[in-house]
Amino acid sequence: MMLMTPTTLGVMVACAIYGLVVGAIPGFSAAMAVALMVPVSYFLDPVPALAGVVTLCAMAIFSGDIPGALLRIPGTPASAAYVDESYKMTRSGNAGLALGTGLICSSIGGIFGSIALILAAPTLGDLALQFSSVEYFWLACLGLTAAIGVSQGSAAKGIISLCIGLLIAFVGLDPVSGQSRFTFETNYLSGGLGFIPVLIGLFAMSEVFRFALAPGDSDRPPIGKLNGLFRGVFGEIRRLWFQILQGCGIGTLVGAIPGAGADIASYIAYAATKKQSRHPERFGTGIVDGVASASASNNASVGGALVPATVFGIPGDSLTAVIIGVLYMKGLNPGPTVFLTQGTLITAVFLAFLLANLLIVPFGIVAIRLFRHILAVPRSVLMPLIVGACIIGSFAVENTVYAVVTMLIAGLLGFYMEENGFPLAPAILGVVLAPIIEENFLNTLVKSNGDLMIFLSRPLAIGLAVITLAIWVVPPLIRLMHYMKARKPKT
C-alpha cells in the first residue's frame, strides 16, 4: 500500500524517463544520474524518493545498451563488455534482435536480482563480509583473466591490449605510497587518467576517426535497420536460458561484493558464456549469445549491490554509495536492525526495485523506438553530433579541458589498435581492474610484512585462486592432450 500510491508511482515514472535519457548519453553513468537526483529526493517522502532512485538505477543500466548497439558508444561503463557484439549485430541488420534480447534479458536479470535481494539479503551480505583484501585481489585477477576470454582473434594481441589498459591505469599516484608514476611532472596526470574519457575515446572517437578516413562514405546511413524488435528474441532466450540464468547468478554474487559492480560482472558473464560455447570463434562477430548473459548480469548486479548497502551499510559500488547517502538522508540507517525498526519501509523499497525491473520492458520499447531514428541520420550529420556528445560527456565528468584531451588521445589509440587487430575490450577491463588489483595487493603485503603466502591463507581466497589459475592452465593442457592423442600412432 505504501508503494501503490499516485505520488510514488508518478515519481517512479518520471525517474524511469530520466534514467533512460541519462543512461543513453555517453559519459553520464548511472551513478552520476543518481547523484543528480539527490537534491530532488530531499523534498520527497522516503518511499517515493527511494522508489524513484532504484527505478532510476534499473533504467539507466539498461539504456546504456542502446547507443552501444546503434553507435558503438556504451552509454554506461557496464555496457562496454558486449558493445562490439551488439554493434556488429546492428551492422549486419540485426539491431532489433540485439536490442530486444538486451531489453528482455536486462529485465530478467533485474527481476532475479530483486528476488535475491528480497529473499537472500542476509545470506549474501554474510558472504560479502567474508571478503578481505586477499579475496578482492583474487576476484580482480579472475576478472582480469576474463579479459583474455572476451578478446577476439589472437590471444597474444589480447594480452598486449590488456597490458595497454593496465599501463593507462598506472598513470597517477601510487595508492599506498603516494609516489607519482608516468605523470611527467604534470599536475593533471597526478590524478590519473579519467575512466569515462578513456572509455568514450576508445569506443566513440575511434569510430569518428575511422569514418573521417573513409572517403565517399559521408552520406551513407549506418548499416542495418531497426525492424522486428522482438523477432526471434524469445526463441533465442529459450535456447540460451542456462547462460542467462548463469549471468543472473554471476551478476548477483559479484554485485554483492563491495567494490566489484556491474562492470566486472558483465565481463565475467561474457567470458563464461564464451568459454562454454561450442563455437567460441563466433564471439565478436555479432552473435546474440554474447549479449544475453552479459546484459542479464548487468541489471542483476544492481540487486546484488543493494544487499550489503541495506544490510550492512557497505556500498557495493559507486552507485549504491550514492543510494546509501539517500537512505541516511531519509532517516533509514542501513544495517541489520533496519529490518526490525523499519521493515515495512525497506520492503516497500525492495518491491519498488522489482516493479522497476518489470517496467523496463514497456519503457525500454518506447526508448528504443525513439532512438531508432538515429539509424536514418546520414553519417556526415551524425558524426559531428557524436563528437559533440563525446566532448560534453568527457568534460562533464571532471569539468576540465584535460579530460577532453584524454578522450581525443584515447580515440587515436583505439583507432590504431583496431586497425592493427588489437581488441579494445581487454584494454577497458585492464583500466577498470588495475586499481583494485594494485591497491589490494599492496595493502595485503603491508599487513603481512611482505609474506606472499597470505594470498593463500584463507579458504575463500584459495578457492578463487584455484579457479583463476585453472582458467589459465586447464585449456592449454586439454589442447596438449588432444594434440598428443592425435599424434599417437593407431594400432
Side-chain angles (χ1 to χ4, degrees):
M1 294 301 296
M2 295 174 68
L3 180 62
M4 296 299 175
T5 64
T7 301
T8 303
L9 295 176
V11 170
M12 290 181 68
V13 169
C15 287
I17 297 171
Y18 170 58
L20 288 170
V21 172
V22 174
I25 299 174
F28 286 67
S29 64
M32 185 184 300
V34 174
L36 294 173
M37 176 68 185
V38 171
V40 179
S41 65
Y42 180 81
F43 300 98
L44 298 172
D45 291 333
V47 172
L50 293 167
V53 167
V54 296
T55 302
L56 171 59
C57 296
M59 296 294 174
I61 291 291
F62 156 70
S63 64
D65 295 354
I66 300 175
L70 300 183
L71 302 172
R72 198 170 175 261
I73 308 175
T76 59
S79 304
Y82 49 95
V83 64
D84 276 334
E85 206 76 65
S86 58
Y87 181 68
K88 287 180 179 178
M89 289 182 67
T90 297
R91 292 183 64 86
S92 62
N94 293 315
L97 179 60
L99 287 171
T101 303
L103 174 61
I104 299 299
C105 290
S106 292
S107 181
I108 292 172
I111 293 169
F112 185 96
S114 304
I115 294 173
L117 176 65
I118 294 169
L119 299 180
T123 304
L124 289 174
D126 289 338
L127 176 64
L129 284 182
Q130 298 299 316
F131 274 65
S132 67
S133 59
V134 177
E135 284 78 15
Y136 285 134
F137 169 77
W138 283 115
L139 179 69
C141 286
L142 179 61
L144 213 58
T145 302
I148 309 304
V150 301
S151 63
Q152 313 300 330
S154 169
K157 288 186 175 180
I159 293 173
I160 293 173
S161 176
L162 176 64
C163 291
I164 291 173
L166 295 174
L167 181 63
I168 292 172
F170 287 148
V171 174
L173 300 180
D174 182 286
V176 176
S177 67
Q179 294 291 322
S180 60
R181 305 172 304 190
F182 308 113
T183 59
F184 305 102
E185 300 182 357
T186 303
N187 290 333
Y188 168 69
L189 293 179
S190 63
L193 297 174
F195 172 63
I196 295 297
V198 170
L199 175 69
I200 293 174
L202 286 177
F203 281 108
M205 282 306 298
S206 61
E207 280 293 307
V208 174
F209 291 135
R210 186 173 296 105
F211 162 76
L213 296 176
D217 204 31
S218 59
D219 292 325
R220 180 180 58 84
I223 296 175
K225 294 181 180 179
L226 188 52
N227 293 328
L229 183 57
F230 292 110
R231 186 181 302 161
V233 167
F234 296 104
E236 294 291 350
I237 289 176
R238 282 194 297 270
R239 180 177 68 87
L240 299 169
W241 67 270
F242 176 77
Q243 288 82 355
I244 294 171
L245 287 180
Q246 177 180 259
C248 292
I250 290 173
T252 303
L253 291 175
V254 173
I257 299 168
D263 308 358
I264 301 175
S266 58
Y267 275 104
I268 292 177
Y270 182 94
T273 303
K274 181 180 177 182
K275 285 286 184 183
Q276 296 165 0
S277 175
R278 296 180 180 178
H279 304 285
E281 71 282 354
R282 295 176 58 194
F283 279 71
T285 62
I287 181 173
V288 72
D289 303 45
V291 176
S293 63
S295 57
S297 180
N298 271 0
N299 281 62
S301 68
V302 180
L306 285 172
V307 172
T310 54
V311 178
F312 301 103
I314 301 172
D317 53 12
S318 58
L319 187 62
T320 47
V322 181
I323 293 176
I324 286 178
V326 177
L327 288 170
Y328 278 116
M329 188 172 69
K330 291 301 173 184
L332 275 139
N333 296 328
T337 59
V338 74
F339 295 96
L340 299 176
T341 58
Q342 294 169 306
T344 305
L345 198 152
I346 199 69
T347 303
V349 174
F350 288 173
L351 291 175
F353 185 60
L354 176 61
L355 177 60
N357 283 286
L358 291 170
L359 292 176
I360 282 181
V361 176
F363 278 90
I365 292 173
V366 174
I368 291 171
R369 294 197 181 281
L370 289 176
F371 274 93
R372 68 177 178 177
H373 297 295
I374 294 174
L375 290 175
V377 179
R379 293 173 73 88
S380 57
V381 176
L382 186 61
M383 287 302 173
L385 295 176
I386 291 176
V387 173
C390 292
I391 293 173
I392 293 171
S394 300
F395 185 83
V397 176
E398 301 180 12
N399 292 321
T400 174
V401 177
Y402 288 109
V404 179
V405 175
T406 299
M407 181 268 296
L408 293 173
I409 295 174
L412 290 171
L413 175 64
F415 170 74
Y416 177 80
M417 288 174 63
E418 288 207 309
E419 287 295 303
N420 291 276
F422 291 91
L424 296 181
I428 289 295
L429 198 55
V431 175
V432 172
L433 292 178
I436 301 174
I437 290 179
E438 183 183 22
E439 184 174 351
N440 286 290
F441 179 76
L442 294 176
N443 285 333
T444 303
L445 287 181
V446 169
K447 289 188 293 185
S448 67
N449 293 320
D451 184 9
L452 290 173
M453 291 306 296
I454 191 173
F455 290 101
L456 298 174
S457 62
R458 295 162 58 91
L460 199 53
I462 293 174
L464 289 171
V466 169
I467 294 172
T468 303
L469 296 175
I471 293 175
W472 284 95
V473 174
V474 171
L477 285 179
I478 292 176
R479 285 195 293 268
L480 179 62
M481 291 173 60
H482 285 306
Y483 175 75
M484 297 298 294
K485 185 177 180 180
R487 292 198 59 183
K488 186 177 180 181
K490 297 181 180 181
T491 57

